[in-house]
Amino acid sequence: MKLKHLGIVLVMVCLTSFSCVTSSETDDNNDSNPPNFVKDACSGCTSEENIGNVTGIRFFSYVKNNGGSGKISMTIGAGDKSATKQFDVTAGTRYVFHASVPVEKSSTATFTYSAKFPGSPGYTDTHTISGYHHMGAPFDLQMNPK
């Protein structure tokens, strides 16, 4: 008799566990369709510009999210410095991403700017800049619908 009651209790515990997990878990990203970025051609669009009398360079990336909606975290690198920011993105939307890097003129210096967008395989926008060296981490990261 005790074994029968123990079996009923175990079944109830299992059923309760499954219903709790199913009803209480939430996620900002749809695991079956996560954000996925590809390059979005933008003929004639600016890819970089000098800012503040050449105290910085602003880099632009044109991308499309052909995956689902959710949150993404972008880490931008310039030489040995980086910055990270999180963005909410919408499925099927084109974006203009930009980040700025503080620079100083130098006839012998070169650095590489790199923005890696999430997805499978995702998209990496890379710029090699000659005649400047970076003076700090990227700043003013923005992701705006196009």
Side-chain angles (χ1 to χ4, degrees):
M1 185 72 169
K2 285 184 181 183
L3 191 56
K4 186 175 181 181
H5 287 291
L6 181 59
I8 292 172
V9 168
L10 287 175
V11 168
M12 293 300 289
V13 167
C14 288
L15 289 174
T16 303
S17 297
F18 289 121
S19 65
C20 289
V21 170
T22 305
S23 65
S24 68
E25 285 189 1
T26 61
D27 193 304
D28 290 331
N29 288 340
N30 180 348
D31 291 337
S32 64
N33 188 22
N36 183 60
F37 286 87
V38 296
K39 181 178 183 174
D40 188 24
C42 189
S43 179
C45 293
T46 302
S47 63
E48 56 195 58
E49 67 182 5
N50 291 333
I51 56 173
N53 295 328
V54 193
T55 58
I57 299 175
R58 181 173 295 131
F59 298 93
F60 296 88
S61 300
Y62 303 91
V63 294
K64 180 179 180 186
N65 178 12
N66 65 5
S69 297
K71 291 186 184 295
I72 63 167
S73 184
M74 292 288 298
T75 298
I76 307 309
D80 62 347
K81 306 290 184 187
S82 65
T84 301
K85 186 171 179 180
Q86 191 172 65
F87 298 97
D88 290 315
V89 295
T90 305
T93 302
R94 290 180 158 84
Y95 290 94
V96 177
F97 175 81
H98 77 72
S100 301
V101 176
V103 298
E104 182 177 85
K105 281 190 173 190
S106 172
S107 60
T108 60
T110 300
F111 75 91
T112 301
Y113 163 90
S114 182
K116 170 79 171 113
F117 294 86
S120 178
Y123 167 62
T124 301
D125 191 8
T126 303
H127 301 256
T128 300
I129 306 301
S130 298
Y132 297 95
H133 63 84
H134 65 93
M135 299 298 294
F139 63 97
D140 191 28
L141 283 64
Q142 294 187 28
M143 189 150 206
N144 300 306
K146 183 172 143 185

